[in-house]
């Protein structure tokens, strides 16, 4: 070994010893001042952070606990030569109750870490041993970086857990609505999801060939753009989406329909709130089952537009509606109106043939058909309206037949 090499080794050892001595002296100073750091950090947060001033006393105490633990952990980490494991920051945030993650956002946590760092840095010259200022400053930078990354990890894990739990709750709410269970369980699950939106309607269609979680994420993204709330669930090959707060249900459905698989997408009727949405869900599903009977149906299609197909497919709700809201008002308006509509439909929607068979003027037939449209909302001269009216007349006559026939 040459004299130059020996000299270099001696200088290196002296430097290491000097750095170690500085670290020990700085650590003792930090330990002496440790008890004042937490109060100083809280005072600085009170001064700098408006959201902290607005918090209840309990939550402020949580933050004080985190601040005190963070500073104590830094002193220990610095004492050990900065050799502690990187996950140290996760331990710092684990000291706070789980509720803190629900009430304090990640941005608030970053603000808190920044303020604590500033408190230490403002007293840097008092805390560091003479000549150890750079050593302490670099340690602070490294430590706060690790705490910031660890905080992000904590919130990311909490978000994943919350997301998985929310997905299970969504599935329970959807299943409960489809089964018609508007019990306390539905109320509790909806409250846990923060659902207060109204009015509500239900969309039903085929699920795309994708992972259910991916489907739900895409639907939520579209819902945020539409400024509506959604709950969704994949049940076998079906995708059910509950939509709340839409000003125009059909317009919102048109934008959400692209997230469904191939085939029809049916829009259930609007309900006043989530707990009344069972009827909307049942109508949407009945429409989805019977939509095969109308190959040219628009996408999406209102469940009300599929009333004749639903009635033919055995949907008692659709049958009852067609009888009570279509057939009964026509019958109550008098025999001439009912006879005119019946003849018009049987004559292939011919005004002249209907007028001849009834011995009336064609304008009389036109007037009576307009009355039918006013009473039912269905236009007899429209092909789809005529089909619905014909089904309603048949169902109405079934209800009028004598018992025992």
């Amino acid at each position: 070994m040459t004299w130059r090499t020996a000299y270099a080794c001696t200088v290196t050892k002296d430097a290491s010893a000097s750095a170690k001595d500085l670290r020990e002296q700085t650590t003792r100073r930090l330990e002496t001042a440790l008890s004042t750091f937490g109060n100083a950090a809280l005072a600085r947060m009170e001064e700098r952070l408006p959201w902290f001033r607005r918090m209840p006393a309990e939550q402020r105490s949580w933050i004080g606990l985190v601040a005190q633990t963070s500073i104590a952990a830094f002193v220990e980490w610095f004492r050990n030569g900065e050799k502690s494991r990187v996950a140290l920051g996760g331990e710092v945030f684990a000291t706070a109750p789980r509720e803190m993650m629900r009430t304090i956002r990640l941005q608030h946590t970053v603000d808190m870490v920044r303020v604590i760092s500033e408190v230490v840095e403002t007293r840097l010259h008092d805390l560091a041993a003479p000549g150890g200022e750079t050593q302490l400053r670099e340690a602070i930078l490294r430590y706060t970086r690790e705490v910031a990354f660890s905080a992000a990890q904590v919130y990311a894990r909490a978000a994943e857990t919350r997301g998985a739990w929310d997905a299970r709750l969504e599935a329970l709410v959807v299943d409960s609505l489809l089964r018609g269970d508007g019990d306390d369980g539905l109320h509790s699950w909806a409250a846990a999801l923060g659902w207060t939106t109204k009015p509500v309607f239900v969309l039903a269609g085929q699920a795309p060939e994708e992972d259910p979680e991916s489907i739900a994420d895409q639907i939520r993204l579209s819902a945020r753009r539409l400024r509506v709330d959604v709950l969704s669930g994949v049940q076998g090959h079906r995708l059910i989406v509950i939509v709340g707060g839409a000003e125009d249900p059909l317009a919102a459905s048109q934008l959400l329909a692209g997230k469904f698989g191939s085939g029809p997408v049916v829009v259930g009727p609007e309900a006043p709130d989530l707990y009344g949405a069972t009827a909307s869900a049942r109508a949407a599903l009945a429409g989805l089952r019977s939509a095969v009977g109308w190959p040219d149906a628009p996408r999406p299609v209102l469940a009300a537009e599929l009333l004749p197909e639903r009635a033919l497919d055995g949907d008692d709700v659709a049958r009852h509606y067609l009888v009570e809201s279509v057939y009964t008002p026509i019958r109550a308006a008098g025999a001439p109106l009912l006879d005119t509509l019946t003849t018009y439909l049987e004559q292939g929607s011919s005004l002249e043939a209907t007028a001849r068979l009834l011995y009336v003027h064609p304008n009389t037939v036109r007037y009576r058909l307009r009355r039918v449209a006013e009473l039912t909302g269905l236009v007899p001269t429209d092909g789809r309206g005529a089909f619905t009216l014909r089904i309603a007349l048949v169902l109405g006559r079934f209800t009028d037949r004598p018992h025992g026939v």
Side-chain angles (χ1 to χ4, degrees):
M1 179 183 298
T2 65
W3 69 270
R4 290 179 179 173
T5 303
Y7 176 77
C9 291
T10 302
V11 170
T12 301
K13 290 179 180 178
D14 291 343
S16 299
S18 176
K20 184 177 180 181
D21 291 341
L22 286 174
R23 184 179 298 276
E24 291 176 353
Q25 294 174 31
T26 300
T27 299
R28 286 194 293 271
R29 292 184 175 217
L30 289 170
E31 289 174 337
T32 302
L34 185 60
S35 60
T36 65
F37 280 157
N39 292 334
L42 289 176
R44 181 65 63 88
M45 282 188 275
E46 178 82 25
E47 175 187 347
R48 293 277 304 277
L49 305 177
W51 58 265
F52 179 75
R53 293 193 294 270
R54 294 192 297 266
M55 297 185 77
E58 183 182 22
Q59 294 181 12
R60 290 156 66 101
S61 68
W62 294 345
I63 293 181
L65 177 64
V66 170
Q68 192 70 43
T69 306
S70 177
I71 295 170
F74 168 72
V75 175
E76 185 64 25
W77 179 78
F78 184 79
R79 180 211 306 277
N80 293 331
E82 306 171 24
K83 296 178 181 178
S84 302
R85 57 192 178 90
V86 174
L88 178 63
E91 296 173 356
V92 170
F93 288 94
T95 62
R98 183 174 299 177
E99 290 83 356
M100 177 178 169
M101 300 305 168
R102 300 176 183 172
T103 57
I104 301 177
R105 299 199 303 268
L106 177 59
Q107 181 59 50
H108 294 163
T109 305
V110 173
D111 291 341
M112 180 179 66
V113 172
R114 182 180 293 115
V115 168
I116 294 173
S117 301
E118 290 176 358
V119 168
V120 178
E121 286 188 57
T122 55
R123 301 183 59 184
L124 189 66
H125 292 287
D126 296 331
L127 296 172
E133 292 84 358
T134 300
Q135 182 188 60
L136 181 57
R137 182 181 293 107
E138 291 177 354
I140 293 171
L141 291 175
R142 285 191 292 271
Y143 183 76
T144 52
R145 180 190 64 188
E146 297 302 335
V147 171
F149 278 122
S150 295
Q153 279 187 326
V154 169
Y155 276 86
R157 285 195 298 269
E160 289 176 358
T161 302
R162 178 68 178 176
W165 178 242
D166 284 354
R168 288 192 288 271
L169 283 181
E170 282 192 39
L172 287 171
V173 170
V174 171
D175 183 65
S176 180
L177 283 179
L178 295 183
R179 289 186 287 106
D181 296 338
D183 56 9
D184 292 339
L186 175 61
H187 289 248
S188 299
W189 299 331
L193 290 168
W195 182 280
T196 58
T197 313
K198 55 181 72 171
V200 175
F201 68 91
V202 177
L203 281 171
Q206 296 298 314
E209 296 181 359
E210 297 179 31
D211 178 70
E213 291 185 6
S214 175
I215 296 171
D217 289 341
Q218 293 180 35
I219 290 174
R220 290 191 197 98
L221 180 60
S222 297
R224 282 196 293 270
R225 293 171 180 166
L226 291 170
R227 297 183 179 180
V228 298
D229 291 329
V230 294
L231 299 173
S232 63
V234 175
Q235 297 192 332
H237 298 293
R238 301 180 311 193
L239 172 60
I240 310 298
V241 179
I242 303 168
V243 184
E247 295 182 0
D248 186 341
L250 187 57
S253 300
Q254 289 170 344
L255 295 175
L256 290 171
K259 305 304 177 184
F260 287 77
S262 59
V265 176
V266 183
V267 185
E270 199 171 70
D273 53 39
L274 182 63
Y275 312 113
T278 295
S280 180
R282 288 177 174 172
L285 288 177
L288 184 62
R289 287 191 300 268
S290 61
V292 64
W294 187 12
D296 296 328
R299 176 187 159 107
V301 58
L302 295 174
E305 295 180 351
L306 287 163
L307 282 169
E309 286 80 11
R310 289 165 53 191
L312 292 173
D313 196 39
D315 181 3
D316 289 336
V317 173
R319 290 183 174 186
H320 180 77
Y321 181 88
L322 289 175
V323 171
E324 295 299 321
S325 300
V326 179
Y327 174 76
T328 299
I330 295 173
R331 184 188 60 183
L337 204 63
L338 183 59
D339 292 342
T340 299
L341 176 60
T342 301
T343 304
Y344 177 77
L345 295 175
E346 290 177 349
Q347 294 303 311
S349 301
S350 170
L351 286 170
E352 290 75 12
T354 302
R356 284 196 303 271
L357 287 173
L358 295 177
Y359 300 103
V360 296
H361 194 275
N363 285 342
T364 301
V365 175
R366 291 188 180 93
Y367 168 76
R368 292 174 180 175
L369 295 180
R370 283 198 300 272
R371 285 285 298 139
V372 169
E374 291 171 359
L375 290 171
T376 65
L378 298 168
V379 180
T381 56
D382 172 73
R384 185 71 189 170
F387 174 62
T388 304
L389 286 165
R390 182 180 288 273
I391 299 298
L393 291 180
V394 172
L395 292 172
R397 293 189 184 104
F398 286 166
T399 61
D400 285 346
R401 63 188 169 189
H403 293 291
V405 175

